[in-house]
């Protein structure tokens, strides 16, 4: 057996793997850059428009978030969503928007009713005191 050859025993291998994972976890936020600004989120209300749908939407698309456009003060990113149009799901891409002070965004959601049916609510802004 060559004494100069280094071999890792199982405990050493686990220690090395742990060190690599910890290093990746510490460096990953730095690699991702700054957080994407998002709006204040809230729930839909009973007065929000909805659609009764026969089946849930597909999984969301993965989107590349572009840089915010010029001329919008404090832009927030609204994620893309599936919308129900003419008896089928249609993907609407994400976008940058300027939030209204005090407003919150209710993201798209599908809810199962007690009778087993599905109701879909599209994403929309809720404004304070019905202002817009």
């Amino acid at each position: 057996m060559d004494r100069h050859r280094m071999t890792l025993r199982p405990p050493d291998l686990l220690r090395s793997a742990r060190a690599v994972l910890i290093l990746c976890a510490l460096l990953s936020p730095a690699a991702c850059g700054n957080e994407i600004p998002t709006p204040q989120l809230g729930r839909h209300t009973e007065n929000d428009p909805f659609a009764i749908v026969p089946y849930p939407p597909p999984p969301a698309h993965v989107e590349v978030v572009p840089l915010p456009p010029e001329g919008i003060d404090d832009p927030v990113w609204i994620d893309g969503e599936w919308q129900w149009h003419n008896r089928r799901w249609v993907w609407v891409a994400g976008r940058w928007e300027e939030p209204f002070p005090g407003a919150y965004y209710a993201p798209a959601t599908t809810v199962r009713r007690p009778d087993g049916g599905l109701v879909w609510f599209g994403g929309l802004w809720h404004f304070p005191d019905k202002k817009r």
Side-chain angles (χ1 to χ4, degrees), residues 14-24:
L14 285 176
R15 218 174 286 121
S16 297
R18 246 186 245 129
V20 168
L21 287 174
I22 291 170
L23 182 62
C24 288

Side-chain angles (χ1 to χ4, degrees), residues 8-89:
L8 290 177
R9 292 170 286 159
D12 295 333
L13 188 59
L14 285 176
R15 218 174 286 121
S16 297
R18 246 186 245 129
V20 168
L21 287 174
I22 291 170
L23 182 62
C24 288
L26 291 173
L27 293 178
S28 63
C32 292
N34 296 333
E35 254 185 58
I36 297 170
T38 57
Q40 178 181 340
L41 299 178
R43 294 177 175 235
H44 286 275
T45 69
E46 60 188 34
N47 299 324
D48 288 350
F50 65 90
I52 297 173
V53 296
Y55 51 91
H61 285 197
V62 174
E63 295 185 304
V64 175
V65 178
L67 292 174
E70 299 279 330
I72 296 182
D73 293 330
D74 299 320
V76 294
W77 177 254
I78 305 294
D79 284 332
E81 67 179 52
W82 287 103
Q83 293 183 353
W84 185 253
H85 288 287
N86 300 324
R87 299 187 316 217
R88 67 185 183 98
W89 292 108

